[in-house]
Structure formats: structure tokens, C-alpha cells
Amino acid sequence: MDKEKFSKICDSLRQYRRAELKDFDKGQKSTAIDALYVDPLSSDVVLQQVLAPNTTFLVGKKGTGKSTIFAKAQSEIRKDPRNISIYLDVKAVYELVNANDIVFEKSSSIKEDVLRVHLWRKEFLRTVILEIIKELKETSKKSGIFAKLSGKHARLNKVIADLDSLGKDVRAGKLTSSELPVIQIIEKKRAEHSRTTEQNSVNGSAGISANSLGLIDAAIGTLNNNFEEMLLEKGVYEKYSDAILRSFPFSTIISQIKEFLAELKLQRLFIFFDDFSEIEYMDQRLFVDVILAPLNNSSDEKIKLKVGAYPERIYYGKIDPGKTDIINLDFAKLYKDKDINSTEKRAIEYTTSLIERRFEYFQVDFYDYFDKATQKEEYMRLLFESSFNVPRVLGNILYSCYSDRIARGALITPVIIRLASQKYYEDILKNYFIQINRYAHEPFDRKLDRYVQHDLLKAIISEAKKLKRDISNGKTGGIYFKGLSTTPVSHFYVAKGYESFLASLEFNFLISRYHELRDKDGKDVYVYALFYGICEAENLSWGCPRERREDRSYYIQRCFCYDNLLRNFLSQRQTIRCEKCGASHPLEDKVIFERYNWLCPDCQIGYCSIVNIGDEYRNEIQSINKDLMLDTIDLEILQILYKEGRPMRAQEISSYIDKSYQMIGRRTSKLEERGLVEKQSMERARQTKLNAITDRAIQLYFGS
């Protein structure tokens, strides 16, 4: 039993950052990305789609392997001298552009916070374009075409100089003639909206859009104010995005890139945009309309985009989805088949390949670490079920098994895997809700949304427990459940139309869409499953009884229909409300409002949205000790330092929490000032510091 190798197997799955996997290359004949890569589909179908000369959106939740697929695709492109590729971490650029660096003269007609948000957004977009050009320049230098380059970088240098000049104007607060009128309109609407919001606050109403999933914090914090709400009006946004687009010399930029490629006799430039969905929604829209769409639509097939995105967090703008390849990595969609058993079989095959490839790479045997009393096939099924086939979750579960068993020289058993899944839920997923709700410094509406999500999860768990008792007592289910060794209640189904209300829980891995079926009445429904660790923590059996594994109707027994639960829960906490006139409408009318683009039927001016009714949460939220509040990224840093239990470098922390190491360095310095992190020098590298969580931080944020 080589304990160190098993630890590396776990780390190769659970690390967040771009999957170059360089840490695992040492002592190996081939690069880790080439040796460890496992395509989600047989015959490398996903990889071949990404390599195809089409614009591609690779869609999947965090940890589903988007970055790994991009890394493998780039590895293949480097082998073809006819093409060239560059990679850009959109979120890293988003995090590093600092609004405080923008110094400008105050305007009498535009308030400072509105102007600052606008200039920050423009600087972010400029930086993205600049990074594309710089990456193209550096990549071409390093490639086999270096000998052809004599003087041919002049075109790219000219673009860089123009963008640098534009940056100086942005940082000085200069607005073009097309920008100023639009900003003035937004400022006027913002002032009107602020007065309406203040009046609503006096009247005791509070709410947020159901689509506000609380996924990330805004890079410029409270500066955003209600700027975004103003831009939600279609006419205003179109004028705003057009004004920004006209302020960039985009036709020149694309022309220079195409000429550069032609001079070097290159067929195509592949640009990989990762973490696209991590930026705020309005910034994502501008990113598409100002950068992606022009690159995609005006490059004469010379530039092909590969974009990593989250489900339900994609904006296509002027990019025609019908002319792009969209690959969804979530197992229920990727392996969708005629029945659940076929879907499960294909998903388990992928889990098996992920595990076996790593054991082969590190030259160790599976049963050096797993108890032989259980067949390998059962282990693989359990690892799939407990991870929903997400490589990062799988890596964390295996690492917990490493800590509990392998590190002590003991073997892994099915019981240990189930316990590891429970720990992952309690230490990571559940703790996320608790810590973010209690300590995250964020707007009231976002915190309110998290409370509603948490309550919805508790309602689903409570219903599953009740169902377990009722089936056991013969109150529901009838003869179908008689004679079964177990009666799992982990899965439930809802009618199509309710899935948007479950999206946030699904994004955070607390539930997962499992399959699409027709219920006993012939209606199309979505089957969902609770995370395995939740069922372990709540003493609920997971999955399907062994006797019924071939019976696809188990999951659509009428008792597993949660439509009424969702309907009752939402009716008590949500309504459809107009932001202009304040009129409220029943949630059941959601489909009608969607059909008419959410225009208010009462005033015919304002737009409606789904809002959470927050009075029952207001007192609890307001009682939180504001002195202990931190930004979400700070809580994530403290959590990984606490969980790992050892000092860590900024780059190492970044590999686990999906933030740039530069951002980690800045945030840990702030945490050090607050006495929550201690900086320690490394013996052999004086410039590099280790970060350790302090006893004070443990007591404040992780104490009972």
C-alpha cells in the first residue's frame, strides 16, 4: 500500500484550478493531461466535438471536468502546426480588475458610483481583449512557428498600444459621445428606482428574483447598487451595450488578428474561455455582446470559441445557439437514454474509467486500497451514486477515505465510502449554507435567497422522512412496496416547469436531476435525487431496492410526486411582483408572464419578477453579528485552511477553491490584518509565504 500515491489519485480529481496537472508529471514518461484524461463518452466523442471547427459551449456544474477537457483539447491542438490556441480564465481577469484603480473627475450629471461601475465594466472588457492579444502573441512565440515571426508581431503590438491608450481613457473617466447619453438615462432611472425602493422598504416589502442564485459575490461589492436593475429593461440595455461596443475599435482588432494568422499561414485560432458563468449576469451579457459575438460572427471562420459555462447561466446574445455545439456534462443529460438503468450503466462506466486510469498511471492495484469482500463493480456503483459522477466530488470523497483509512493503513469498505459522503455533506455542502448565511457580507436579498433555499431543502428532507414512515406503516404505496428489503426515498419527481425552482439546490450538489420520465398519468416529469450524504445523515436509504433495479417505474410511484410540496412551499414564500407599480400576481401565472416577457399586465410599463417574501427571515438576518461578516471568498479560504489542517501557499489554496492565486494572496493579507490568518515564511523560499488559520478564526467561525 503506497499511501502517497493514493493521496495523489485523490488530488488529481479534487483540485479546482485549470487541469494542466503539472504536479503529477514528475517521473512520468508522458504528460499527466494526456495520460490521465478520460473522455466522458467512448471514442473521445466530447474531445472531438471540442476540437471541431465550430463554436462550442461546454456546459456543466463546478467540478464536472470542463477545464480538464479544455486542457486536453489544447494539448491536441499544439500537435497540429496549422492551428493555434489560447486559454483565458475569464473569472481570474474579472477578479483582478480593481474598481479602486479607476481615478476620474467627478461629473455634475452622473453620480460617482454609477460612473465607477460603468468604467469598471469597460475596463474589465478591455482587459479581456488585451489578454487575448497578449496570449496570442506569447503562444505564437513559444510554438513551432517562431522562425516565421520576424517583424510580424507588429500588428499585434499596434492593437496592444491602442488598447493601452483606451485603458488610460477609461481610468481617467473619459466617456465617448455614444456612452454619455446612455449613462445619463441610467442615472435618471436609477434615482427613480431608489425612491421606489425606499418607499417599499418603509412599507415592509422585500424580495429578490428567483433567478438570483447567489452563486458568486460581485467583484466590486456594493458599488453595483441597483445599476443592474436599470439595465434589465431591454431598450436601455441594448443602447448601453451598443455604446460600449462602439467605444472599442473591434473591427480593427479582428482584422489585425486575421491578417496575423494569414501571414503565418495558420488556419484557425481556437480561444478557450473558462469560468464564463462565474461572472455576474449583466457582466456576462456584456462579455458576450461586446467580445464573444463579434469574435464569433465577424472572423470569417478564422476564430473559433470554446466556452465553459454553468447550466442555466448562459447568455448567447447574438450568437446563434443553432449554429453552435452545446455539450452538457451533467450525467443525466450526457448519458440520457431510454431508461434509467441504461443511463446509470453509462455513468458508472465513466466513473470506472476515471478511477482505473489513475490507478494505472500511478502503477498501483485497486485492491491494495479496497476491501476484497466487495466486488469492484459495487464499489464503482457506490462511487457514482455518492458523487453524481462529478470528478471533484469524487476526489473529495476518496480523500476522506484516505484520511480515515488509508493514512492509518486500513482498507476502504462500502461503509467508509458512505461515511465519507456524509462527511462531505456535513463539512462542505451543509456548512456552506450555515457559514454563508451567518457570516457572509452580502446584500440582504442574496442572503434572503439562501435562507429560502435552505428551507426548501429542509422541506424536501422532511417530506422524504414522512414518506419513509408512511410506507413502513402501510399508509401509502399499497402492495407495490410489500416484501422489499429496503424502501429508499431518496428520489422524487416534479412536473416540468418546476425545475427552475430547484436549480440552486442542484447547482450546489444538494440534489441532482436524475432522469426524464413519464408518470403514471402520462405527463413528462423530471426525477431528482437527494445527495447521497444527506440520506446517510438523515438515515434514509438511497436509490432503488436491489429487487427493483430493473423496474423503471419505482421512481414514479405516485407517493414520490413532490408537486404539491413545491406548490405549497412557493405559495407561502414567493409571488410575482411588478417593480414599477408593485402589483402582485399568483405564482401559478409564471408561464403566462414568461410568454409576454414579464411585462406587467396592470401598468403595462414595469416588468415583473418572482420575489421571495422576506418578513419571516428579516429578524433572523438582522440579528447576525455584522462585525463577524466576511466576503464569501474569505470564508472559503478559512474553510479550506480549517479542513486541510495545515499551512498552505496561496497557489495551493487557489487549486481547491477556484480563485486566482493573486486574489488569494490579497485576501489572505487582509485576513492577516484581522487576526484570522497567520503568514509563515518557508525555509527555502523567502518570497513565498504559507497561510495558516489562527485559533481565533477557528473559535469564531468553526466553534460549536
Side-chain angles (χ1 to χ4, degrees), residues 34 54 61 69 108 123 159 180 187 225 227 324 335 338 388 433 439 510 570 605 646 678 701:
D34 288 332
N54 301 313
K61 297 191 289 291
I69 294 168
S108 58
E123 175 63 7
V159 175
L180 183 59
E187 167 56 27
N225 248 339
F227 195 168
T324 65
Y335 303 119
K338 62 183 183 298
F388 289 143
F433 268 117
Y439 301 121
L510 294 162
L570 295 172
I605 299 174
R646 57 189 173 85
E678 180 185 17
Y701 297 97

Side-chain angles (χ1 to χ4, degrees), residues 131-338:
E131 287 298 314
I132 291 172
I133 303 301
K134 286 182 175 179
E135 278 291 312
L136 177 57
K137 183 178 177 181
E138 289 303 311
T139 302
S140 59
K141 279 183 178 180
K142 295 174 185 177
S143 70
I145 59 175
F146 182 80
K148 305 176 186 177
L149 290 176
S150 55
K152 293 180 181 177
H153 271 142
R155 296 187 185 280
L156 299 186
N157 290 337
K158 176 66 167 59
V159 175
I160 291 173
D162 290 344
L163 288 169
D164 284 340
S165 177
L166 178 61
K168 291 177 183 177
D169 289 345
V170 171
R171 289 188 289 275
K174 292 183 180 180
L175 297 176
T176 65
S177 58
S178 62
E179 291 175 279
L180 183 59
V182 180
I183 300 299
Q184 289 174 333
I185 291 173
I186 292 172
E187 167 56 27
K188 182 179 178 181
K189 287 180 173 290
R190 173 189 177 278
E192 294 173 355
H193 185 273
S194 294
R195 288 193 292 270
T196 303
T197 302
E198 289 172 6
Q199 184 61 44
N200 287 342
S201 180
V202 171
N203 295 335
S205 63
I208 61 171
S209 165
N211 293 325
S212 175
L213 303 181
L215 304 182
I216 61 173
D217 293 318
I220 52 178
T222 56
L223 287 175
N224 236 336
N225 248 339
N226 44 30
F227 195 168
E228 185 168 319
E229 282 83 347
M230 303 304 99
L231 294 178
L232 289 176
E233 293 188 26
K234 185 177 180 181
V236 174
Y237 171 77
E238 288 177 352
K239 291 178 182 177
Y240 182 65
S241 59
D242 286 346
I244 292 181
L245 181 58
R246 287 197 299 272
S247 71
F248 286 96
F250 228 98
S251 59
T252 302
I253 292 170
I254 294 177
S255 175
Q256 297 284 23
I257 292 175
K258 289 193 296 185
E259 288 179 15
F260 178 76
L261 296 174
E263 286 180 355
L264 295 176
K265 297 182 179 178
L266 293 169
Q267 285 187 352
R268 289 184 185 87
L269 164 65
F270 291 88
I271 307 179
F272 292 83
F273 292 102
D274 211 354
D275 284 344
F276 158 70
S277 294
E278 284 275 16
I279 64 178
E280 291 288 338
Y281 179 64
M282 189 54 64
D283 301 316
Q284 183 188 131
R285 291 182 68 180
L286 289 169
F287 175 73
V288 171
D289 292 332
V290 176
I291 296 177
L292 293 193
L295 283 172
N296 182 75
N297 301 337
S298 307
S299 64
D300 299 329
E301 301 296 312
K302 289 291 184 181
I303 302 174
K304 290 302 173 184
L305 311 181
K306 309 295 176 178
V307 185
Y310 292 151
E312 316 299 334
R313 292 273 294 179
I314 309 175
Y315 170 78
Y316 294 103
K318 294 179 181 179
I319 297 176
D320 184 355
K323 296 180 180 179
T324 65
D325 291 334
I326 301 173
I327 308 169
N328 199 307
L329 296 178
D330 289 344
F331 84 90
K333 295 180 180 179
L334 186 64
Y335 303 119
K336 182 180 176 181
D337 214 316
K338 62 183 183 298

Side-chain angles (χ1 to χ4, degrees), residues 432-557:
Y432 171 82
F433 268 117
I434 294 173
Q435 283 198 314
I436 297 298
N437 282 351
R438 193 177 294 170
Y439 301 121
H441 181 72
E442 58 186 356
F444 172 82
D445 55 1
R446 184 167 291 174
K447 194 171 288 293
L448 170 61
D449 190 48
R450 295 190 197 280
Y451 272 82
V452 175
Q453 293 171 34
H454 197 196
D455 271 4
L456 177 56
L457 177 64
K458 288 193 290 186
I460 292 172
I461 293 172
S462 178
E463 181 70 12
K465 287 182 173 180
K466 178 179 181 297
L467 192 55
K468 176 185 175 182
R469 292 193 300 270
D470 289 348
I471 292 175
S472 177
N473 296 331
K475 292 183 179 180
T476 190
I479 61 172
Y480 182 86
F481 293 96
K482 286 190 175 181
L484 295 179
S485 56
T486 59
T487 52
V489 291
S490 54
H491 291 58
F492 60 92
Y493 69 88
V494 296
K496 288 189 176 182
Y498 282 114
E499 64 273 12
S500 61
F501 299 106
L502 298 171
S504 188
L505 293 178
E506 187 175 10
F507 182 85
N508 289 295
F509 300 108
L510 294 162
I511 64 173
S512 177
R513 189 181 300 183
Y514 211 77
H515 210 271
E516 295 180 37
L517 292 172
R518 287 188 175 178
D519 66 7
K520 291 180 175 295
D521 297 320
K523 294 186 299 183
D524 291 330
V525 298
Y526 288 123
V527 177
Y528 286 84
L530 283 164
F531 182 70
Y532 202 107
I534 293 177
C535 293
E536 286 297 302
E538 301 293 344
N539 194 28
L540 302 171
S541 296
W542 196 96
C544 184
R546 284 181 178 271
E547 305 96 312
R548 298 287 168 86
R549 274 188 180 173
E550 301 302 318
D551 182 3
R552 62 190 297 270
S553 70
Y554 181 84
Y555 295 122
I556 53 170
Q557 295 301 303

